[in-house]
Amino acid sequence: MRKTNVFSKGIVLAFLLLLTVPFSAFSQDLTVSGSVMDQQGGPLPGVSILIEGTSTGVITDIDGNYSLNAPGTSVLVFNFLGFESQKVSVDNRSTINV
């Protein structure tokens, strides 16, 4: 039977734990909300907002407002019939108006 060093196992475990901490900080979801308006400043109800690369999204309400949970490093894709799609990086912001 081989003797193992408990101290070295603890160091390896601590090192692995420290490696995962920075990545968990960047993957935190936050609530992103805002308004979508047309060129004249009028609200756009029914705009779809998706988190790029996922099927997660919402649709703006009658006043053009929306709210969704998204990773702080994600990109939101705004789509509305008759308008060009727009991509906006969240960049850890909680309010994004388009």
Side-chain angles (χ1 to χ4, degrees), residues 9-91:
K9 283 185 178 181
I11 289 175
V12 170
L13 182 60
F15 180 72
L16 291 173
L17 180 63
L18 286 174
L19 282 177
T20 61
V21 170
F23 295 112
S24 65
F26 290 113
S27 63
Q28 298 291 328
D29 281 3
L30 56 116
T31 301
V32 180
S33 59
S35 301
V36 181
M37 305 289 177
D38 62 17
Q39 291 89 344
Q40 289 77 35
L44 284 175
V47 175
S48 68
I49 302 134
L50 290 173
I51 300 171
E52 187 174 49
T54 72
S55 59
T56 303
V58 295
I59 296 175
T60 57
D61 65 14
I62 192 83
D63 298 315
N65 299 317
Y66 72 93
S67 179
L68 78 156
N69 292 328
T73 58
S74 62
V75 173
L76 301 182
V77 182
F78 294 79
N79 289 303
F80 191 64
L81 188 62
F83 286 79
E84 187 175 324
S85 294
Q86 186 169 351
K87 294 182 181 184
V88 178
S89 295
V90 173
D91 293 329

